[in-house]
Amino acid sequence: MPKVSPELLSILRCPVTGSPLEQDGEELVSTAGSASGEKLRYAIQDGIPLLLPPELLAAANAAASDQHDAGQHDA
């Protein structure tokens, strides 16, 4: 399980709520809920927290997937 250092965790904030984050397994979780009341979760990949709001993370993943698929067709 990737562990975020306590020093880094102490300065990271949720990009949506501005609240501190806590590590829960392989994710960081906001300590305050969003407008809908749910606590936001952010994945940690290769030890790097992905602090994109959920809607932007979905768009980034889709764009990366499209670029990867396009590269396979060119080969």
Side-chain angles (χ1 to χ4, degrees):
M1 167 177 76
K3 182 81 171 153
V4 176
S5 74
E7 295 83 13
L8 179 57
L9 200 52
S10 73
I11 61 172
L12 292 177
R13 296 291 178 262
C14 172
V16 175
T17 67
S19 67
L21 297 165
E22 299 175 335
Q23 187 161 1
D24 181 15
E26 295 187 17
E27 295 179 314
L28 296 180
V29 182
S30 63
T31 56
S34 65
S36 65
E38 76 176 292
K39 292 188 175 184
L40 300 169
R41 303 182 79 80
Y42 301 95
I44 302 170
Q45 288 185 350
D46 299 324
I48 301 170
L50 303 178
L51 298 180
L52 287 174
E55 62 276 5
L56 292 179
L57 185 58
N61 286 337
S65 177
D66 289 347
Q67 289 178 351
H68 180 70
D69 290 343
Q72 287 182 342
H73 296 298
D74 291 341

